[in-house]
Amino acid sequence: MTRGAAVVYPKDAAQILAMADIWPGARVLEAGAGSGALSCWLLRAIGPDGLLVSYERRADFAGIARANVERFFGGPPPRWELRVGEFGRDEESGGEEPGDEPFDRVVLDMLAPWECVASAARLLLAGGVLACYVATVTQLSSIVEAVRGHGGSMSLPRGNPSLAAGTPTDLRYVPSTGW
């Protein structure tokens, strides 16, 4: 059974944009472009004065992302660069390192984002935010440990599952595609 790139749905995209504090004019690095759905949300949030650099390690997914983003915007967005390759798997893993561009925000939507914490930290400007979108609590735990182990300029991480409150006594879990 073949598996395609996953789509980040609006409820999750809105949380990512809000928690990462993406604003018009921001310089954002995205790793794990996949279907291009999150790229579309990020491009809309950064507007014409921002910059989005997206990494996708699989050429077939990069092609899908490019086609979807260009279809959504009616052509190639001028402030978007899609790089086919693996973002920073830190030194031990031998992945490619991005250029020296500083970024306001780094958004990692990939299987093992904890392997990229040091690379993300090197690229973030002071006060920058690293947002990691993962599907399981085990992955979330690995991110927390990687950030704690990195030290340096990174503050304490926090997880944010999707919750919806009806009444004070009716707090229920809303199925989410990620943490």
Side-chain angles (χ1 to χ4, degrees), residues 16-84:
I16 292 167
L17 295 177
M19 295 298 293
D21 187 28
I22 308 293
W23 73 91
R27 296 175 52 86
V28 179
L29 183 140
E30 169 195 26
S35 68
L38 183 56
S39 302
C40 289
W41 288 100
L42 292 167
L43 284 162
R44 287 185 62 183
I46 65 172
D49 297 326
L51 171 68
L52 176 63
V53 175
S54 300
Y55 278 82
E56 177 51 57
R57 68 186 182 116
R58 290 183 51 173
D60 56 335
F61 283 8
I64 292 168
R66 183 176 308 283
N68 286 336
V69 170
E70 289 180 4
R71 186 177 315 114
F72 183 83
F73 287 100
R79 302 293 288 162
W80 183 48
E81 182 181 339
L82 177 60
R83 299 177 182 176
V84 179

Side-chain angles (χ1 to χ4, degrees), residues 60-152:
D60 56 335
F61 283 8
I64 292 168
R66 183 176 308 283
N68 286 336
V69 170
E70 289 180 4
R71 186 177 315 114
F72 183 83
F73 287 100
R79 302 293 288 162
W80 183 48
E81 182 181 339
L82 177 60
R83 299 177 182 176
V84 179
E86 198 153 352
F87 170 68
R89 293 287 184 193
D90 295 344
E91 294 79 24
E92 307 86 47
S93 304
E96 293 178 29
E97 284 297 319
D100 293 326
E101 314 92 337
F103 290 97
D104 301 302
R105 303 294 186 254
V106 174
V107 178
L108 304 179
D109 179 11
M110 54 181 25
L111 184 61
W114 53 88
E115 295 175 353
C116 301
V117 168
S119 294
R122 277 193 299 276
L123 293 173
L124 279 170
L125 292 168
V129 172
L130 168 63
C132 300
Y133 180 67
V134 295
T136 69
V137 173
T138 305
Q139 289 172 304
L140 179 63
S141 174
S142 295
I143 287 287
V144 169
E145 293 308 314
V147 170
R148 285 181 178 157
H150 178 72

Side-chain angles (χ1 to χ4, degrees), residues 15 160-175 179:
Q15 284 190 359
N160 186 43
S162 294
L163 291 175
T167 65
T169 58
D170 177 27
L171 187 64
R172 62 191 182 280
Y173 181 74
V174 176
W179 279 81

